[in-house]
Amino acid sequence: MKQNGKVWLLGAGPSDPELLTLKGKRVLEQAEVVIYDKLVGAGILSMIPDTAQRIDVGKTAGSHPVPQEEINRLLLEYAQKGKRVVRLKGGDPFVFGRGGEELELLSKHQIPFEIVPGITSAVSVPAYGGIPVTHRNLSSSVHIVTGHAQKGKALSIPYEALVQAGGTIIFLMGVSALKEICQGLLSAGISPQMPGAVLERGTTAYQRRVVGTVSDLYEKFLEAEIKTPAIIVVGEVCRLSEKFHWAEDRPLGRQRVIVTRPRKRASILSGMLRELGAEVVELPSIRTVRLRRNTLLGQAISGIAVYDWVVFTSPEGVELFFEELKERRVDVRKLSHLKFAAIGSATKKAIEDRNILVEYMPSVYNTEYLAKGLARRVYRKERVLIPRSVKGSKVLTDILAENHIAYDDIPLYDVKPELQHPIELLPEDLVTFTSASTVKGFVERFPKADLSKVRAVCIGEQTAAEARKSGMRVFVSRMATMESMVEKILALAKEKDKS
Ligand code: SAH
């Protein structure tokens, strides 16, 4: 019999991916199967490794969620297959997360498990709304209550006890019963002037807050057309949000940005945007897949002595080439006779990070400039090795051929669109594109979506041209740098806030 796997009940936090714990991140990155529900933030879903199987058991518009018994059974089934199973849940798994129920079957079958607590929405959503759940002189206890009745039963909230305790009361899953809850509290003798708040989609760029009193909160809530998920906070502390609100006030605090760069290269841009308060969803639209059992490359490497130049057209190419060398146990000193060329600054950096200096990089970062520049520099009788994408542009090899330069164009990797689980695009989102291929990958990912509403922030004209083809609203950064893209995003977010 196959050895049993293991299950991790993992709390994803309220939505902001940076509120996932370090342990949660490590466990998620090692998952083989991820079973998640609706409340898990888009930014966290995008951290699920490509190699993991994803199972969505949450409610999607129009369809029902997978019943609890079925989820329990799935966990057991995959664990019995020997998998590392992550059960990813919004907030904390044990705060109205039915985490305990999911453990029953596992413990019965002696499946090993771990619990990774998460930051519960009950305290973090108020924090992002400028509401401390306790505060000296205002509230000395917190009560977290479900506003959701069990099937076929009426709500059973101990209003009197709660009102008597006098602390902050937090209702999860309560917005559909908001009217009843406010009435219940009033009948139990709470002051009609007691402040209350409804906090929608906390810790995201779309978070909103309605503050009132127990007497008028329901009306205000209707007026604001609050959507789920939302929590209700009742208590004097709600008053403080007027003074302590902060999340939306950050320069990009109300902007969600979708970053489509391949994951490894996304972090600089994402980091700058997060620093400014943006909600960043990394949604790599392409991924590079190294070719396996690559005999052409094998021959080129064993015959490396015949080459004079190596030309790289992407940082991925550099990385994969050196990986290949290492696997084949080829020492870097075997390359000492070679001159290196790079298409642009990121590729150059990838080469120079390996302590190999680059001989040539064109002043304009594209294939044509690279090819023409090489044509002027490569001597007669010299031979050029080009390890690159299977889909590499013919422009490079055509120009070299025209100039009678001997080359070997060796496929090293393929570029594939990332098609896994698209997120729902929201109208105010900005999407960043750093190459034409990221645009193509993105368009393939959303075959049915109306892209005419997508606001695309593009790094340069070539990328912009590709985005225009699919009808997106295109904005181009002043320069081809990450800083310049961030500047553009700041300007667009400001414009939106004014309108
Ligand atoms: N285990 C979760 C709660 C699950 S119950 C936790 O610890 O947070 C689901 C309820 O949580 C929702 O109905 C809503 O009331 C609340 N909730 C979860 N995420 C939220 C968010 N980002 N903003 C507002 N409310 C949220």
Side-chain angles (χ1 to χ4, degrees):
M1 207 181 104
K2 200 163 176 202
Q3 218 191 345
N4 275 341
K6 185 167 170 176
V7 175
W8 282 261
L9 269 193
L10 200 167
S15 194
D16 180 345
E18 290 191 296
L19 296 182
L20 176 66
T21 63
L22 292 175
K23 186 168 189 175
K25 181 168 182 280
R26 176 180 61 77
V27 168
L28 188 58
E29 282 168 354
Q30 293 170 0
E32 292 173 311
V33 179
V34 180
I35 301 180
Y36 63 93
D37 27 51
K38 199 177 171 226
L39 277 178
V40 177
I44 288 175
L45 291 182
S46 78
M47 288 164 64
I48 298 176
D50 302 331
T51 47
Q53 181 180 350
R54 298 161 172 238
I55 303 174
D56 179 359
V57 292
K59 239 179 285 192
T60 43
S63 70
H64 288 291
V66 175
Q68 189 62 49
E69 297 71 42
E70 173 71 11
I71 298 175
N72 301 352
R73 206 189 50 69
L74 280 172
L75 291 173
L76 180 65
E77 184 189 314
Y78 283 102
Q80 283 177 335
K81 282 186 189 159
K83 301 285 187 196
R84 295 176 65 94
V85 184
V86 167
R87 172 67 177 116
L88 189 58
K89 295 160 122 10
D92 181 88
F94 283 170
V95 179
F96 300 123
R98 306 187 76 168
E101 289 166 63
E102 298 181 357
L103 294 183
E104 299 277 357
L105 199 60
L106 299 178
S107 66
K108 192 170 142 200
H109 286 83
Q110 293 173 336
I111 302 284
F113 61 79
E114 283 191 35
I115 321 284
V116 185
I119 297 186
T120 179
S121 61
V123 293
S124 57
V125 169
Y128 270 53
I131 301 175
V133 292
T134 68
H135 194 72
R136 228 171 116 93
N137 302 331
L138 286 187
S139 155
S140 56
S141 66
V142 192
H143 309 269
I144 303 174
V145 183
T146 171
H148 182 75
Q150 282 197 356
K151 237 191 189 154
K153 294 192 187 152
L155 260 184
S156 64
I157 296 174
Y159 293 110
E160 260 129 52
L162 288 169
V163 171
Q164 222 157 41
T168 305
I169 318 170
I170 290 163
F171 296 92
L172 300 188
M173 299 178 282
V175 283
S176 53
L178 178 59
K179 191 173 178 188
E180 191 184 336
I181 288 171
C182 290
Q183 274 164 357
L185 291 168
L186 286 167
S187 320
I190 204 167
S191 155
Q193 296 316 312
M194 178 61 78
V198 182
L199 309 170
E200 173 195 352
R201 288 187 278 185
T203 80
T204 75
Y206 292 89
Q207 78 170 37
R208 289 197 300 160
R209 169 180 73 243
V210 173
V211 185
T213 64
V214 181
S215 326
D216 65 12
L217 191 59
Y218 180 63
E219 255 157 63
K220 287 188 164 174
F221 157 82
L222 287 181
E223 214 168 281
E225 298 183 30
I226 294 288
K227 296 184 194 66
T228 57
I231 73 170
I232 304 163
V233 185
V234 174
E236 295 289 351
V237 287
C238 293
R239 248 190 258 284
L240 296 169
S241 68
E242 207 177 312
K243 224 171 22 182
F244 291 161
H245 59 81
W246 61 276
E248 310 87 344
D249 313 334
R250 294 169 295 171
L252 292 177
R254 299 205 285 151
Q255 186 62 59
R256 190 165 88 154
V257 185
I258 296 176
V259 172
T260 61
R261 299 202 98 184
R263 211 180 298 275
K264 267 197 189 153
R265 328 235 151 254
S267 56
I268 294 178
L269 179 58
S270 302
M272 284 194 282
L273 293 170
R274 284 185 176 134
E275 178 77 25
L276 292 164
E279 179 188 357
V280 175
V281 181
E282 287 183 359
L283 192 73
S285 61
I286 48 171
R287 99 193 120 96
T288 49
V289 186
R290 184 168 141 202
L291 302 182
R292 294 285 161 184
R293 284 190 282 280
N294 192 338
T295 39
L296 280 179
L297 184 62
Q299 283 161 7
I301 289 176
S302 49
I304 197 80
V306 308
Y307 295 101
D308 303 281
W309 285 85
V310 187
V311 178
F312 285 108
T313 57
S314 72
E316 285 79 10
V318 177
E319 222 158 82
L320 296 178
F321 182 77
F322 282 91
E323 239 173 62
E324 191 87 31
L325 286 183
K326 196 175 190 181
E327 271 173 30
R328 292 175 189 266
R329 308 297 296 157
V330 175
D331 195 291
V332 72
R333 286 166 292 189
K334 288 259 161 58
L335 309 180
S336 65
H337 64 291
L338 292 167
K339 286 173 268 191
F340 281 73
I343 194 167
S345 59
T347 308
K348 179 178 177 194
K349 180 172 183 306
I351 301 170
E352 299 205 334
D353 281 349
R354 290 172 168 79
N355 281 19
I356 294 175
L357 298 186
V358 165
E359 195 86 13
Y360 174 61
M361 176 184 77
S363 57
V364 176
Y365 303 162
N366 71 31
T367 322
E368 191 183 336
Y369 272 77
L370 172 68
K372 289 189 171 154
L374 280 171
R376 285 194 297 274
R377 284 170 176 81
V378 177
Y379 296 121
R380 229 168 232 274
K381 298 222 176 93
E382 281 192 331
R383 198 168 183 87
V384 180
L385 175 63
I386 315 167
R388 61 174 180 163
S389 160
V390 182
K391 300 195 175 92
S393 153
K394 258 178 73 66
V395 173
L396 176 57
T397 42
D398 283 352
I399 294 176
L400 293 183
E402 276 162 30
N403 288 277
H404 311 291
I405 292 172
Y407 64 81
D408 287 316
D409 185 8
I410 303 290
L412 181 61
Y413 61 90
D414 200 356
V415 180
K416 297 246 163 83
E418 273 290 4
L419 296 175
Q420 287 210 46
H421 288 254
I423 57 159
E424 187 192 346
L425 293 176
L426 300 172
E428 313 266 276
D429 289 348
L430 286 172
V431 187
T432 65
F433 293 109
T434 45
S435 69
S437 58
T438 58
V439 179
K440 284 186 201 148
F442 183 82
V443 172
E444 274 186 58
R445 193 190 259 268
F446 294 99
K448 292 194 197 109
D450 170 15
L451 297 181
S452 66
K453 291 202 182 71
V454 169
R455 292 184 302 156
V457 181
C458 298
I459 198 162
E461 274 308 326
Q462 261 177 329
T463 309
E466 190 63 42
R468 285 192 193 99
K469 277 193 212 160
S470 54
M472 297 182 202
R473 293 167 58 200
V474 173
F475 304 88
V476 188
S477 65
R478 200 165 50 84
M479 286 181 304
T481 62
M482 295 301 127
E483 287 76 12
S484 190
M485 289 193 78
V486 172
E487 242 170 58
K488 189 87 215 170
I489 290 166
L490 272 170
L492 288 166
K494 227 185 223 160
E495 230 170 73
K496 181 192 81 179
D497 287 346
K498 263 192 246 144
S499 62

